[in-house]
Amino acid sequence: MNPLPRNPAPAPDFAELYGRAPEGEWAAPGRVNLIGEHTDYNLGFVLPIALPQTVRVEAARRDDGLLRVWSAQGRGPVAELRVADLVPGSVPDWTAYPAGVVWALREAGHEVGGADLRLDSDVPSGAGLSSSAALECAVATAYADLHGLGLAASDLALLAQRAENAFVGVPCGIMDQMASMCCRPGAALFLDSRDLSTRQVPVDLAGAGLALLVLDTRVKHDLGDGAYAALRAGCERAAELLGLPALRSLQPVGLAAALAGLPAELAPLVRHVVTENARVEAAVAHLDAGRLAALGPILTAGHASLRDDFRISCPETDLAVDAAVAAGALGARMTGGGFGGSVIALVDAAEAERIAAEVTAAFRSAGYAEPRTLTAVPAEGARRLR
Ligand code: GLA
């Protein structure tokens, strides 16, 4: 599902759409995950940063039970849904994301009604940068604020995840929604997915003379296609066979013995999760000690694990990683759910442009569409703009 298809032409404003002014405007960012992939639903560690790119929502409450939504990327007619009729599976297109948030709030006992929503976004969709979570979190933040619900950021993240799991039907973990709600400028969010405890870990890329390139391979990733669910089920089955509540509980020291007792198709999944959790902890230790460049080899090792053990890379992401490293990146890896999407590369700031150009040239030689390149600066989580 493509929540916010892109369209660059000028757009009607809120008053033109709805004949009145909005009560406010809220924003929630996309994210890149530095390290810790497919660890969240195994109750392990992740380390995302928020992007400066956001989904913005202007909103005004309605008292007639209608939810009206319009997006500057889709440019369709205003979609109109009856809040009381919202049930999982009832909304077939991207409007399931905002509708799912309203449904999840009501399911949690919050007496919220309809609203007029105008959405706009510069988070690339389908690029593994969490445009869906940004959309959910922007709407959740707007609703919580407008109705004075007084919910903590992590509660809103859980509601947004519930919208995606139960209403949209994608069995994602909690990383993207926590990143979009809780990230802070200049820091990565060290999240323990077991108890949702967080720590802001300073990431001063510019101070270290570094930059984080985001190379969107333009290979559309879609978490709804069943592969993500199958991987998640494989991990949960492995934990069950090992007699563990979740793979998080398996320590590196017990890995070899655990792998020996598992079916051949599950062992590599377990190896990825256990080694990936250890990579997150190592990355945090380096960041705490101000050794940002030391993240490079951790990123590249993480990619090898996604490619060889978890098997969710694709030729385009592998090429982006290999070409970036060959061009001098300190390290690179695919970020997000997998099967395409974006690659991050940690580079010397002075080399960023050349390295991006070399990756683009490698894509051209391979006959692939050119990647879209962004520079990631750790940015602010969900907030009210006005
Ligand atoms: C997607 C999901 C997350 C997480 C990542 C993989 O982004 O939404 O919950 O599982 O994939 O790390």
Side-chain angles (χ1 to χ4, degrees), residues 4 9 15 38 48 123 137 140 144 148 168 179 205 208 229-230 236 248 278 349 381:
L4 291 169
H38 290 268
V123 185
C137 290
V168 180
L205 289 164
E236 286 166 357
R248 146 68 176 276

Side-chain angles (χ1 to χ4, degrees), residues 2-6 55 71-74 94 119-121 123 125 131 135:
N2 190 358
L4 291 169
R6 300 187 69 75
V55 171
S71 122
Q73 281 63 49
W94 70 271
L119 292 149
D120 201 351
S121 172
V123 185
S125 68
S131 58
L135 172 49

Side-chain angles (χ1 to χ4, degrees), residues 96-124:
Y97 291 90
V101 169
V102 177
W103 171 84
L105 282 164
R106 288 167 62 89
E107 281 279 303
H110 303 293
E111 291 187 4
V112 299
D116 290 334
L117 306 180
R118 181 189 187 279
L119 292 149
D120 201 351
S121 172
D122 60 353
V123 185

Side-chain angles (χ1 to χ4, degrees), residues 10-380:
D13 65 16
F14 193 95
E16 285 164 326
L17 287 166
Y18 297 119
R20 59 181 176 144
E23 292 183 75
E25 183 177 13
W26 292 262
R31 62 96 188 94
V32 291
N33 187 19
L34 294 179
I35 189 76
E37 225 62 86
H38 290 268
T39 45
D40 59 354
Y41 54 79
N42 291 301
L43 306 190
F45 303 119
V46 297
L47 192 64
I49 61 170
L51 292 171
Q53 287 78 8
T54 57
V55 171
R56 272 105 41 215
V57 57
E58 294 172 287
R61 284 167 289 178
R62 298 180 63 89
D63 56 15
D64 61 358
L66 289 181
L67 176 65
R68 301 203 293 176
V69 289
W70 184 89
S71 122
Q73 281 63 49
R75 303 291 172 95
V78 171
E80 197 169 288
L81 302 159
R82 188 163 293 284
V83 168
D85 294 344
L86 295 176
V87 283
S90 62
V91 183
D93 58 12
W94 70 271
T95 57
Y97 291 90
V101 169
V102 177
W103 171 84
L105 282 164
R106 288 167 62 89
E107 281 279 303
H110 303 293
E111 291 187 4
V112 299
D116 290 334
L117 306 180
R118 181 189 187 279
L119 292 149
D120 201 351
S121 172
D122 60 353
V123 185
S125 68
L129 301 177
S130 286
S131 58
S132 309
L135 172 49
E136 294 153 8
C137 290
V139 173
T141 305
Y143 253 79
D145 226 3
L146 283 174
H147 292 274
L149 299 180
L151 291 168
S154 56
D155 290 332
L156 288 177
L158 285 166
L159 283 166
Q161 183 200 24
R162 176 147 162 73
E164 183 146 351
N165 290 170
F167 196 88
V168 180
V170 177
C172 64
I174 191 64
M175 168 171 68
D176 304 340
Q177 291 79 9
M178 281 295 286
S180 191
M181 288 304 310
C182 302
C183 279
R184 294 279 167 268
L189 184 77
F190 180 29
L191 167 69
D192 181 338
S193 304
R194 184 159 63 188
D195 60 8
L196 297 195
S197 58
T198 60
R199 179 156 75 82
Q200 304 289 340
V201 181
V203 182
D204 183 7
L205 289 164
L210 300 176
L212 191 67
L213 285 176
V214 180
L215 304 151
D216 169 13
T217 65
R218 297 180 187 263
V219 177
K220 286 283 174 193
H221 102 130
D222 187 348
L223 291 187
D225 68 0
Y228 182 94
L231 289 163
R232 181 171 180 161
C235 290
E236 286 166 357
R237 174 82 186 121
E240 198 182 305
L241 290 173
L242 293 168
L244 300 170
L247 290 182
R248 146 68 176 276
S249 307
L250 185 58
Q251 298 302 314
V253 65
L255 181 59
L259 295 182
L262 284 172
E265 72 278 10
L266 297 183
L269 300 183
V270 174
R271 185 165 50 224
H272 167 74
V273 172
V274 172
T275 59
E276 186 79 348
N277 275 323
R279 280 186 286 274
V280 178
E281 293 188 285
V284 170
H286 285 308
L287 288 174
D288 282 340
R291 295 186 298 260
L292 271 68
L295 250 56
I298 296 177
L299 301 186
T300 308
H303 187 75
S305 184
L306 290 175
R307 182 191 61 212
D308 302 336
D309 276 343
F310 226 63
R311 304 213 174 174
I312 57 168
S313 71
C314 65
E316 291 85 350
T317 54
D318 290 346
L319 178 63
V321 167
D322 292 347
V325 171
L330 301 171
R333 62 180 286 273
M334 187 184 69
T335 189
F339 311 103
S342 295
V343 160
I344 53 171
L346 185 67
V347 301
D348 278 338
E351 301 290 320
E353 237 172 80
R354 182 186 57 75
I355 291 172
E358 290 194 25
V359 174
T360 301
F363 267 56
R364 220 178 283 131
S365 314
Y368 298 152
E370 287 191 11
R372 172 175 25 205
T373 307
L374 319 168
T375 304
V377 178
E380 165 108 70

